[in-house]
Amino acid sequence: MGPRIVKAGFIMAYSKILVGYDCSQAATRALSDAYELVDHGMAESVVILMVTDPERTGDPAFNAAARAAGVLLSTIGDEEEAIGNLKNSLGDQVSGHEDVTTLRVAFGKPQDAILSVAEKEGCGLIVMGSRGLGAVRAMLGSVSTAVLRESSIPVLVTK
């Protein structure tokens, strides 16, 4: 388990939770579950991470499948635009949790980026949806499985 923090007389399980977010229904559920942990005093904050694999964005078939699945695609160098797109795609999902939410974008293989950002941000838990990429999943393989296999911190895969 991640680091325990004592706050106001009780034990908090995690300081930060990283949520891998790709605009899918599974990612939306994962984000909701992470906020529920915050609301119940099990964590202090949530880092929402959107990852784009620039090696894949040059592939027209991948781009078409990604768009069909609702996945946001960005290229290296346009982090500001990617953060803006992420903020827009989240809509009201962050409402009421703005003060405990950090938005991040990363570029590269999703599982590598998720693990790297979780470490850099000092996250004690990673929360992911079990079917995050829908149609794109077959091309990428299971990101959740790769993160589960490689993570040194707990991973919660939600359905």
Side-chain angles (χ1 to χ4, degrees):
M1 184 180 320
R4 292 188 176 272
I5 299 170
V6 177
K7 181 177 179 182
F10 63 92
I11 295 178
M12 181 173 297
Y14 308 102
S15 60
K16 289 184 184 179
I17 298 173
L18 183 132
V19 177
Y21 188 81
D22 64 3
C23 304
S24 67
Q25 288 181 339
T28 299
R29 284 191 308 273
L31 180 57
S32 177
D33 291 340
Y35 282 140
E36 192 170 329
L37 290 171
V38 170
D39 292 345
H40 285 76
M42 297 299 295
E44 288 183 349
S45 63
V46 173
V47 177
I48 302 172
L49 174 66
M50 181 198 65
V51 182
T52 296
D53 187 347
E55 293 177 14
R56 300 275 189 173
T57 58
D59 179 354
F62 176 84
N63 290 344
R67 279 198 256 1
V71 176
L72 296 173
L73 296 175
S74 301
T75 56
I76 292 176
D78 63 357
E79 289 87 358
E80 259 183 57
E81 180 183 348
I83 288 280
N85 289 340
L86 175 58
K87 192 179 288 188
N88 289 337
S89 71
L90 287 166
D92 293 336
Q93 295 176 72
V94 178
S95 183
H97 294 98
E98 295 87 353
D99 58 331
V100 296
T101 302
T102 304
L103 301 181
R104 295 282 182 255
V105 295
F107 303 94
K109 288 187 175 181
Q111 60 269 25
D112 295 341
I114 288 167
L115 294 169
S116 175
V117 171
E119 183 179 336
K120 286 178 188 170
E121 290 285 336
C123 296
L125 176 68
I126 298 170
V127 179
M128 302 179 66
S130 63
R131 295 187 190 179
L133 293 176
V136 179
R137 184 174 176 208
M139 291 176 165
L140 291 178
S142 175
V143 174
S144 299
T145 300
V147 171
L148 277 167
R149 186 176 42 249
E150 299 173 26
S151 180
S152 62
I153 63 172
V155 178
L156 173 62
V157 180
T158 66
K159 274 192 147 191

